[in-house]
Amino acid sequence: MRRLRSSTVVLGGMGILAATITACGSEPDKRCVDPVSREQLPAYECRTGGAGGKDDGGGSARGTYYYGGSVRDDRVSGGSFDKTAVDTGGFGCSGSSGG
């Protein structure tokens, strides 16, 4: 058997540790979405986001932020409007997938 050098083992261990930490702490994908049709919108349609739907200029924002999921034919699915309901995945992370 071939013996691994200690620097190789240390660097490999550091890579795994870094991937674990960043995966658990990463934010889910965030998209601006029409809450009724679930159509993806430009980011400026969700100025301040949230369910309130008001932007900074006092006008009405059309979209709400949608977290996680996927986009197909400009429509989102598989995620949630509630950021805390989305599992960002990763090694050793706990959470639930929302819908």
Side-chain angles (χ1 to χ4, degrees):
M1 283 195 183
R2 198 171 113 187
R3 188 174 170 161
L4 294 175
R5 292 189 171 146
S6 61
S7 61
T8 304
V9 173
V10 169
L11 289 175
M14 293 298 285
I16 291 171
L17 179 61
T20 303
I21 291 170
T22 57
C24 288
S26 65
E27 294 286 317
D29 291 337
K30 179 169 89 170
R31 299 173 176 90
C32 185
V33 172
D34 182 306
V36 176
S37 68
R38 292 197 177 202
E39 177 185 356
Q40 188 168 352
L41 302 171
Y44 65 82
E45 293 281 358
C46 289
R47 286 285 158 146
T48 58
K54 297 288 182 186
D55 65 17
D56 293 330
S60 179
R62 180 175 161 206
T64 301
Y65 282 114
Y66 188 84
Y67 300 93
S70 61
V71 179
R72 184 173 181 193
D73 297 327
D74 279 340
R75 302 232 188 283
V76 295
S77 64
S80 176
F81 288 104
D82 180 8
K83 182 179 179 179
T84 60
V86 179
D87 182 12
T88 58
F91 218 43
C93 296
S94 62
S96 61
S97 182

